[in-house]
Amino acid sequence: MGLSIAQKIISEHLIEGEMIPGSEIAIRIDHTLTQDATGTLAYLQFEAMGVPRVRTKRSVSYVDHNTLQTGPENADDHAYLQSVAAKYGIYFSRPGNGICHQVHLERFAVPGETLLGSDSHTPTAGGIGMLGIGAGGLDVAAAMAGEPFYLPMPRICLVRLVGTLPKWVSAKDVILELLRILSVKGGVGKIIEYGGKGVESLSVTDRATIANMGAELGATSSIFPSDEITRRFMSAQQRSSEWREIHADADAQYDQVIEINLDKLEPMIARPHMPDNVCRVVEVEGTKVDQVAIGSCTNSSLRDLMVVASILRGKTVHPKVSLVVSPGSRQVLEMIARNGALADLIRAGARILECACGPCIGMGQAPRTNGVSIRTFNRNFEGRSGTKSAQVYLASPETAAACALFGEITDPRKLGDLPVLQIPEEYSVDDSMIVAPSERPESVEIVRGPNIKPLPEAEPLPESLRGHILLKVGDNITTDHIMPAGSKVLPLRSNIPAISEYVFSTIDPDFSKRAKQYGGGFILAGENYGQGSSREHAALAPMYLGVRAVIAKSFARIHRQNLVNFGILPLLLVDATDYDRLEQLDEIEICDVAKALREGNAYLRVVSRTHGQVINVRHDLSRRERDVVLAGGRLNYIRNTQR
Ligand code: MIC
Ligand code: SF4
């Protein structure tokens, strides 16, 4: 039987297990990436593993999230990251050099290889035919230490693209359409693989836009073929020697096939407050707009910024709209500066921000109260922009530029003739802001600022768990709900005791106080608990507050793994309707839980001490994961197995 692209890459990297969907496999990791908001923890964990030098082919540490620097904390973290990188053999991409996924695509990604990143949008590298997977920092640290990455073998979903995109419709509209079809949980447990003739009309950065937002489907990864277009992109980046052709076999089998006819696609938009709340732009036309934000790892390539600049050339943004632009990388910024597109943006009234995540993660540019913000980003979760009442929409650069001009949601097809773009044959290549690791690592001193606190230690799992349901939440709770980001909280990423004060603060400001008062307890949740960001703080900070299990209808992949990594038991309701039989503050007991994990029993009984009822739950942990939870987390587990 023929293989798909993802199956080929997995089989070339398979260390343990069989490629049977759902069963645990272990794969070798070639590249890792970290960013500064997750990187400090990842490297603290890496240091705790006692490995002298990274064992990957290439590891890169990016600084792109915490660049607002409203106090010393971020800069302290950056200094720590730079010193760790120098000592342990990691490339360090300096602040201002760009967003990790964009820079990795430009300068490092290699078709056919594997990339594990402590950021959920790591699958962006799928645009070049690399298998990129997002994970918690601890998994990335383990990969740097030479450990394989464990995951359930994903099912493969082929998205066959036919036709070509009409005028004013672009890559973002393709992925928004897929989100409309599949929803934010439609990709869980799957790799989304793209094929069909339509792929040939998409550039590498278009493909990266689509692969990037596969994270919003909950997919494990997304991947495109590596073809002549890929070769040309890599050659323009002076990296043609790293190119390799990869296609799916003609007789490859897929678990699911979806066809999207590009000819029929229209400009699409995701309405507040979920990336799958998608409709056609025409359906919301006329809505007044206060802010337009162009950038993020989804849509900040040279092509995207040039499209926006050419739409705005010779015009002025609407007087009621604040237009902010954050280029994806220094390469993009330098090139638009040289070709005049930056001048067009400035003349049109754009506020130019640095090459970083910026407003995407609430680091500045929070919209006004009840403000409508149209963003080319990938997430519009409530409050993520920094303004709880803001109405954030997600759209293509073309649609965003049209909105900026007209001051209301506008279908870009109203703009008339499509601008003709001159994308150069050669990109401007300058890696001077990427610092190579030290050749004398023994002489490098690690710099630790006062905000970098030691990692909290987890205890092995007790025989039984007893406590209160500290919080009951509904479906699709994001890690932004569990552990908010933004300019106030992000500087605390290296300080778990301090950041734990903010756990669930946007849902229930008293959560952390209550957790402490009850000495820990449980969370009860609906479907797809923990979707979104890979931040392991969403597991580590609850662990610090004494949360020992989460009972849910289903979990998102990365967060489930992070829970296991920090010794929190992810439990599934056997009968989803039992969700209604448990309430916040009920006192429950999960009996003989450690024995059940040791003996491999998947089913457990939750006894409600408040109502006397018994509810059946189960876990879907592999043998290894059971041992990790029993040990009180992966760090303890690694230490135990090293002894
Ligand atoms: C995000 O887009 O939510 C982030 C910020 O990039 C996160 C990582 C983090 O929380 O630091 C992600 O996507 O994993
Ligand atoms: Fe940065 Fe936003 Fe991309 Fe996350 S989604 S990596 S915050 S640009």
Short mmCIF file of all heavy atoms in Angstrom, two decimals, residues 530-580:
data_model
loop_
_atom_site.label_atom_id
_atom_site.label_comp_id
_atom_site.label_asym_id
_atom_site.label_seq_id
_atom_site.Cartn_x
_atom_site.Cartn_y
_atom_site.Cartn_z
N GLY A 530 -8.76 22.45 26.75
CA GLY A 530 -7.34 22.83 26.59
C GLY A 530 -6.92 23.07 25.17
O GLY A 530 -5.74 22.99 24.84
N GLN A 531 -7.87 23.41 24.28
CA GLN A 531 -7.47 23.69 22.89
C GLN A 531 -6.63 24.97 22.85
O GLN A 531 -6.64 25.79 23.77
CB GLN A 531 -8.71 23.85 22.01
CG GLN A 531 -9.54 25.07 22.35
CD GLN A 531 -10.37 25.60 21.18
OE1 GLN A 531 -9.99 25.50 20.03
NE2 GLN A 531 -11.52 26.18 21.49
N GLY A 532 -5.91 25.13 21.74
CA GLY A 532 -5.18 26.37 21.51
C GLY A 532 -3.71 26.25 21.83
O GLY A 532 -3.05 25.29 21.42
N SER A 533 -3.23 27.22 22.57
CA SER A 533 -1.79 27.36 22.84
C SER A 533 -1.19 26.12 23.50
O SER A 533 -1.86 25.38 24.21
CB SER A 533 -1.60 28.56 23.76
OG SER A 533 -0.48 28.39 24.57
N SER A 534 0.11 25.96 23.28
CA SER A 534 0.84 24.82 23.86
C SER A 534 1.36 25.12 25.26
O SER A 534 2.00 24.28 25.87
CB SER A 534 2.04 24.52 22.98
OG SER A 534 2.96 25.61 23.04
N ARG A 535 1.08 26.32 25.78
CA ARG A 535 1.73 26.75 27.03
C ARG A 535 1.53 25.72 28.15
O ARG A 535 0.42 25.40 28.54
CB ARG A 535 1.20 28.13 27.45
CG ARG A 535 -0.29 28.20 27.68
CD ARG A 535 -0.76 29.63 27.84
NE ARG A 535 -0.72 30.32 26.55
CZ ARG A 535 -1.58 31.27 26.17
NH1 ARG A 535 -2.53 31.68 26.98
NH2 ARG A 535 -1.49 31.83 24.98
N GLU A 536 2.66 25.20 28.63
CA GLU A 536 2.55 24.17 29.68
C GLU A 536 2.22 24.80 31.02
O GLU A 536 1.85 24.10 31.97
CB GLU A 536 3.80 23.31 29.74
CG GLU A 536 5.07 24.06 29.96
CD GLU A 536 6.30 23.19 29.70
OE1 GLU A 536 6.17 21.96 29.61
OE2 GLU A 536 7.40 23.76 29.58
N HIS A 537 2.31 26.12 31.08
CA HIS A 537 1.88 26.82 32.30
C HIS A 537 0.42 26.50 32.62
O HIS A 537 0.02 26.55 33.78
CB HIS A 537 2.02 28.33 32.11
CG HIS A 537 3.41 28.73 31.70
ND1 HIS A 537 3.90 28.53 30.43
CD2 HIS A 537 4.40 29.30 32.41
CE1 HIS A 537 5.14 28.97 30.37
NE2 HIS A 537 5.47 29.43 31.56
N ALA A 538 -0.36 26.15 31.58
CA ALA A 538 -1.77 25.82 31.80
C ALA A 538 -1.93 24.47 32.50
O ALA A 538 -3.02 24.10 32.93
CB ALA A 538 -2.53 25.82 30.47
N ALA A 539 -0.83 23.71 32.60
CA ALA A 539 -0.85 22.48 33.40
C ALA A 539 -0.02 22.67 34.67
O ALA A 539 -0.42 22.28 35.77
CB ALA A 539 -0.29 21.31 32.58
N LEU A 540 1.12 23.31 34.49
CA LEU A 540 2.06 23.44 35.61
C LEU A 540 1.50 24.34 36.72
O LEU A 540 1.63 24.02 37.92
CB LEU A 540 3.38 24.01 35.06
CG LEU A 540 4.58 24.11 35.98
CD1 LEU A 540 4.84 22.84 36.75
CD2 LEU A 540 5.83 24.48 35.17
N ALA A 541 0.87 25.45 36.34
CA ALA A 541 0.34 26.35 37.38
C ALA A 541 -0.84 25.70 38.12
O ALA A 541 -0.87 25.74 39.36
CB ALA A 541 -0.04 27.70 36.78
N PRO A 542 -1.80 25.04 37.42
CA PRO A 542 -2.81 24.29 38.17
C PRO A 542 -2.19 23.20 39.07
O PRO A 542 -2.63 22.98 40.19
CB PRO A 542 -3.69 23.67 37.09
CG PRO A 542 -3.57 24.62 35.94
CD PRO A 542 -2.15 25.12 35.99
N MET A 543 -1.15 22.53 38.57
CA MET A 543 -0.48 21.53 39.41
C MET A 543 0.05 22.18 40.68
O MET A 543 -0.11 21.67 41.79
CB MET A 543 0.67 20.87 38.65
CG MET A 543 1.44 19.86 39.48
SD MET A 543 3.16 19.78 39.01
CE MET A 543 3.91 20.88 40.19
N TYR A 544 0.64 23.35 40.51
CA TYR A 544 1.18 24.08 41.66
C TYR A 544 0.06 24.41 42.66
O TYR A 544 0.27 24.41 43.87
CB TYR A 544 1.86 25.37 41.15
CG TYR A 544 2.39 26.25 42.24
CD1 TYR A 544 3.60 25.95 42.87
CD2 TYR A 544 1.69 27.37 42.66
CE1 TYR A 544 4.10 26.74 43.88
CE2 TYR A 544 2.17 28.18 43.67
CZ TYR A 544 3.38 27.86 44.29
OH TYR A 544 3.86 28.66 45.29
N LEU A 545 -1.16 24.63 42.12
CA LEU A 545 -2.30 24.94 42.99
C LEU A 545 -2.96 23.68 43.55
O LEU A 545 -4.00 23.76 44.20
CB LEU A 545 -3.34 25.77 42.23
CG LEU A 545 -2.91 27.18 41.79
CD1 LEU A 545 -3.98 27.82 40.91
CD2 LEU A 545 -2.62 28.07 43.00
N GLY A 546 -2.42 22.52 43.22
CA GLY A 546 -2.92 21.27 43.80
C GLY A 546 -3.95 20.53 42.97
O GLY A 546 -4.59 19.60 43.45
N VAL A 547 -4.12 20.92 41.70
CA VAL A 547 -5.06 20.17 40.84
C VAL A 547 -4.41 18.83 40.48
O VAL A 547 -3.29 18.79 39.99
CB VAL A 547 -5.40 20.98 39.56
CG1 VAL A 547 -6.24 20.14 38.60
CG2 VAL A 547 -6.13 22.27 39.93
N ARG A 548 -5.12 17.71 40.75
CA ARG A 548 -4.52 16.39 40.50
C ARG A 548 -5.19 15.64 39.36
O ARG A 548 -4.65 14.65 38.85
CB ARG A 548 -4.58 15.51 41.77
CG ARG A 548 -3.71 15.93 42.93
CD ARG A 548 -2.24 16.24 42.61
NE ARG A 548 -1.47 15.23 41.91
CZ ARG A 548 -0.47 14.54 42.43
NH1 ARG A 548 -0.12 14.69 43.69
NH2 ARG A 548 0.21 13.68 41.70
N ALA A 549 -6.39 16.06 38.96
CA ALA A 549 -7.05 15.40 37.83
C ALA A 549 -8.00 16.38 37.17
O ALA A 549 -8.55 17.27 37.83
CB ALA A 549 -7.81 14.16 38.28
N VAL A 550 -8.17 16.21 35.86
CA VAL A 550 -9.21 16.95 35.13
C VAL A 550 -10.14 15.89 34.55
O VAL A 550 -9.69 14.94 33.91
CB VAL A 550 -8.61 17.81 33.98
CG1 VAL A 550 -9.72 18.53 33.23
CG2 VAL A 550 -7.59 18.81 34.52
N ILE A 551 -11.44 16.06 34.82
CA ILE A 551 -12.43 15.12 34.27
C ILE A 551 -13.13 15.87 33.15
O ILE A 551 -13.69 16.95 33.37
CB ILE A 551 -13.44 14.70 35.35
CG1 ILE A 551 -12.70 14.09 36.55
CG2 ILE A 551 -14.47 13.73 34.78
CD1 ILE A 551 -13.58 13.84 37.76
N ALA A 552 -13.08 15.32 31.92
CA ALA A 552 -13.64 16.05 30.78
C ALA A 552 -14.34 15.09 29.82
O ALA A 552 -14.17 13.87 29.92
CB ALA A 552 -12.53 16.79 30.05
N LYS A 553 -15.11 15.68 28.88
CA LYS A 553 -15.71 14.84 27.84
C LYS A 553 -14.65 14.47 26.81
O LYS A 553 -14.65 13.38 26.27
CB LYS A 553 -16.86 15.59 27.17
CG LYS A 553 -18.06 15.81 28.09
CD LYS A 553 -19.20 16.48 27.34
CE LYS A 553 -20.28 16.93 28.30
NZ LYS A 553 -21.27 17.82 27.66
N SER A 554 -13.75 15.41 26.50
CA SER A 554 -12.59 15.10 25.64
C SER A 554 -11.54 16.19 25.82
O SER A 554 -11.83 17.27 26.34
CB SER A 554 -12.99 14.99 24.17
OG SER A 554 -13.41 16.24 23.68
N PHE A 555 -10.31 15.87 25.40
CA PHE A 555 -9.17 16.78 25.59
C PHE A 555 -8.54 17.16 24.25
O PHE A 555 -8.56 16.37 23.31
CB PHE A 555 -8.07 16.10 26.42
CG PHE A 555 -8.44 15.89 27.85
CD1 PHE A 555 -9.06 14.70 28.26
CD2 PHE A 555 -8.19 16.86 28.79
CE1 PHE A 555 -9.41 14.50 29.57
CE2 PHE A 555 -8.54 16.67 30.12
CZ PHE A 555 -9.15 15.49 30.52
N ALA A 556 -7.94 18.34 24.21
CA ALA A 556 -7.10 18.70 23.06
C ALA A 556 -5.73 18.04 23.26
O ALA A 556 -5.29 17.84 24.39
CB ALA A 556 -6.96 20.21 22.98
N ARG A 557 -5.07 17.72 22.13
CA ARG A 557 -3.87 16.86 22.21
C ARG A 557 -2.74 17.45 23.06
O ARG A 557 -2.24 16.80 23.97
CB ARG A 557 -3.33 16.59 20.79
CG ARG A 557 -2.01 15.81 20.77
CD ARG A 557 -1.43 15.71 19.37
NE ARG A 557 -1.06 17.01 18.84
CZ ARG A 557 0.13 17.60 19.01
NH1 ARG A 557 1.06 17.00 19.72
NH2 ARG A 557 0.38 18.77 18.47
N ILE A 558 -2.32 18.69 22.74
CA ILE A 558 -1.11 19.20 23.41
C ILE A 558 -1.37 19.36 24.91
O ILE A 558 -0.54 18.99 25.74
CB ILE A 558 -0.64 20.55 22.81
CG1 ILE A 558 -0.41 20.43 21.31
CG2 ILE A 558 0.63 21.02 23.51
CD1 ILE A 558 0.02 21.73 20.63
N HIS A 559 -2.55 19.87 25.24
CA HIS A 559 -2.82 20.09 26.67
C HIS A 559 -2.92 18.76 27.43
O HIS A 559 -2.42 18.65 28.55
CB HIS A 559 -4.08 20.93 26.86
CG HIS A 559 -4.27 21.31 28.30
ND1 HIS A 559 -3.34 22.05 28.99
CD2 HIS A 559 -5.25 21.02 29.19
CE1 HIS A 559 -3.75 22.21 30.24
NE2 HIS A 559 -4.90 21.58 30.39
N ARG A 560 -3.53 17.77 26.79
CA ARG A 560 -3.60 16.45 27.45
C ARG A 560 -2.19 15.97 27.77
O ARG A 560 -1.91 15.50 28.88
CB ARG A 560 -4.31 15.46 26.52
CG ARG A 560 -4.35 14.03 27.05
CD ARG A 560 -4.80 13.05 25.98
NE ARG A 560 -4.59 11.68 26.38
CZ ARG A 560 -3.41 11.06 26.40
NH1 ARG A 560 -2.30 11.72 26.06
NH2 ARG A 560 -3.31 9.81 26.78
N GLN A 561 -1.28 16.14 26.80
CA GLN A 561 0.10 15.70 27.00
C GLN A 561 0.76 16.52 28.11
O GLN A 561 1.50 15.98 28.93
CB GLN A 561 0.86 15.87 25.68
CG GLN A 561 2.15 15.10 25.63
CD GLN A 561 1.93 13.61 25.83
OE1 GLN A 561 1.17 13.00 25.10
NE2 GLN A 561 2.55 13.04 26.85
N ASN A 562 0.47 17.82 28.15
CA ASN A 562 1.06 18.66 29.20
C ASN A 562 0.55 18.24 30.58
O ASN A 562 1.30 18.25 31.55
CB ASN A 562 0.75 20.14 28.95
CG ASN A 562 1.61 20.73 27.84
OD1 ASN A 562 2.68 20.21 27.54
ND2 ASN A 562 1.15 21.80 27.24
N LEU A 563 -0.73 17.88 30.67
CA LEU A 563 -1.27 17.42 31.95
C LEU A 563 -0.49 16.19 32.42
O LEU A 563 -0.03 16.12 33.56
CB LEU A 563 -2.76 17.09 31.83
CG LEU A 563 -3.72 18.28 31.61
CD1 LEU A 563 -5.14 17.78 31.33
CD2 LEU A 563 -3.72 19.22 32.81
N VAL A 564 -0.34 15.24 31.50
CA VAL A 564 0.40 14.01 31.84
C VAL A 564 1.82 14.38 32.27
O VAL A 564 2.33 13.89 33.29
CB VAL A 564 0.42 13.04 30.63
CG1 VAL A 564 1.37 11.88 30.87
CG2 VAL A 564 -0.99 12.54 30.33
N ASN A 565 2.45 15.27 31.50
CA ASN A 565 3.84 15.64 31.80
C ASN A 565 4.00 16.21 33.20
O ASN A 565 5.07 16.14 33.79
CB ASN A 565 4.35 16.66 30.79
CG ASN A 565 4.73 16.02 29.47
OD1 ASN A 565 4.82 14.81 29.37
ND2 ASN A 565 4.95 16.84 28.45
N PHE A 566 2.95 16.82 33.73
CA PHE A 566 3.05 17.39 35.07
C PHE A 566 2.26 16.59 36.10
O PHE A 566 1.93 17.10 37.18
CB PHE A 566 2.67 18.88 35.05
CG PHE A 566 3.69 19.65 34.27
CD1 PHE A 566 3.42 20.08 32.99
CD2 PHE A 566 4.96 19.84 34.79
CE1 PHE A 566 4.40 20.72 32.24
CE2 PHE A 566 5.94 20.48 34.06
CZ PHE A 566 5.66 20.92 32.78
N GLY A 567 1.96 15.35 35.76
CA GLY A 567 1.39 14.44 36.74
C GLY A 567 -0.08 14.68 37.04
O GLY A 567 -0.60 14.18 38.04
N ILE A 568 -0.77 15.44 36.18
CA ILE A 568 -2.22 15.63 36.37
C ILE A 568 -2.94 14.60 35.50
O ILE A 568 -2.63 14.45 34.31
CB ILE A 568 -2.66 17.06 35.97
CG1 ILE A 568 -1.93 18.10 36.84
CG2 ILE A 568 -4.18 17.21 36.09
CD1 ILE A 568 -2.30 19.54 36.52
N LEU A 569 -3.88 13.90 36.09
CA LEU A 569 -4.54 12.79 35.41
C LEU A 569 -5.66 13.32 34.50
O LEU A 569 -6.61 13.94 34.99
CB LEU A 569 -5.11 11.88 36.49
CG LEU A 569 -5.51 10.47 36.15
CD1 LEU A 569 -4.38 9.71 35.47
CD2 LEU A 569 -5.94 9.75 37.43
N PRO A 570 -5.57 13.09 33.17
CA PRO A 570 -6.68 13.47 32.30
C PRO A 570 -7.70 12.32 32.25
O PRO A 570 -7.39 11.25 31.74
CB PRO A 570 -6.03 13.68 30.93
CG PRO A 570 -4.75 12.92 30.97
CD PRO A 570 -4.43 12.56 32.39
N LEU A 571 -8.88 12.54 32.79
CA LEU A 571 -9.88 11.46 32.85
C LEU A 571 -11.06 11.79 31.95
O LEU A 571 -11.50 12.94 31.88
CB LEU A 571 -10.36 11.29 34.29
CG LEU A 571 -9.32 10.76 35.27
CD1 LEU A 571 -9.87 10.78 36.70
CD2 LEU A 571 -8.88 9.34 34.90
N LEU A 572 -11.58 10.76 31.29
CA LEU A 572 -12.70 10.96 30.36
C LEU A 572 -13.98 10.41 30.98
O LEU A 572 -13.97 9.32 31.57
CB LEU A 572 -12.42 10.20 29.07
CG LEU A 572 -11.20 10.73 28.30
CD1 LEU A 572 -10.60 9.65 27.41
CD2 LEU A 572 -11.59 11.95 27.47
N LEU A 573 -15.07 11.15 30.84
CA LEU A 573 -16.36 10.64 31.32
C LEU A 573 -16.78 9.49 30.40
O LEU A 573 -16.78 9.64 29.18
CB LEU A 573 -17.41 11.75 31.26
CG LEU A 573 -17.27 12.86 32.29
CD1 LEU A 573 -18.11 14.05 31.88
CD2 LEU A 573 -17.67 12.37 33.68
N VAL A 574 -17.12 8.36 30.97
CA VAL A 574 -17.55 7.23 30.13
C VAL A 574 -18.90 7.59 29.49
O VAL A 574 -19.12 7.38 28.30
CB VAL A 574 -17.66 5.95 30.98
CG1 VAL A 574 -18.27 4.81 30.17
CG2 VAL A 574 -16.28 5.56 31.51
N ASP A 575 -19.78 8.17 30.28
CA ASP A 575 -21.07 8.61 29.77
C ASP A 575 -21.09 10.14 29.87
O ASP A 575 -21.10 10.70 30.97
CB ASP A 575 -22.17 7.99 30.64
CG ASP A 575 -23.56 8.47 30.22
OD1 ASP A 575 -23.64 9.36 29.36
OD2 ASP A 575 -24.54 7.95 30.78
N ALA A 576 -21.08 10.80 28.70
CA ALA A 576 -20.95 12.27 28.69
C ALA A 576 -22.06 12.96 29.48
O ALA A 576 -21.86 14.06 30.01
CB ALA A 576 -20.92 12.78 27.26
N THR A 577 -23.21 12.30 29.62
CA THR A 577 -24.31 12.97 30.33
C THR A 577 -24.05 13.05 31.84
O THR A 577 -24.70 13.82 32.55
CB THR A 577 -25.67 12.26 30.09
OG1 THR A 577 -25.55 10.93 30.60
CG2 THR A 577 -26.04 12.23 28.61
N ASP A 578 -23.06 12.28 32.30
CA ASP A 578 -22.70 12.37 33.73
C ASP A 578 -22.14 13.75 34.08
O ASP A 578 -22.06 14.11 35.26
CB ASP A 578 -21.67 11.28 34.10
CG ASP A 578 -22.35 9.94 34.30
OD1 ASP A 578 -23.58 9.92 34.48
OD2 ASP A 578 -21.64 8.91 34.26
N TYR A 579 -21.72 14.46 33.04
CA TYR A 579 -21.24 15.84 33.25
C TYR A 579 -22.27 16.63 34.06
O TYR A 579 -21.93 17.43 34.92
CB TYR A 579 -21.01 16.46 31.86
CG TYR A 579 -20.69 17.93 31.86
CD1 TYR A 579 -19.38 18.39 32.04
CD2 TYR A 579 -21.69 18.88 31.65
CE1 TYR A 579 -19.08 19.74 32.02
CE2 TYR A 579 -21.40 20.24 31.63
CZ TYR A 579 -20.09 20.66 31.81
OH TYR A 579 -19.80 22.01 31.80
N ASP A 580 -23.55 16.38 33.77
CA ASP A 580 -24.62 17.14 34.44
C ASP A 580 -24.86 16.67 35.87
O ASP A 580 -25.56 17.34 36.63
CB ASP A 580 -25.94 17.00 33.65
CG ASP A 580 -25.78 17.53 32.25
OD1 ASP A 580 -25.11 18.58 32.10
OD2 ASP A 580 -26.29 16.89 31.30
#
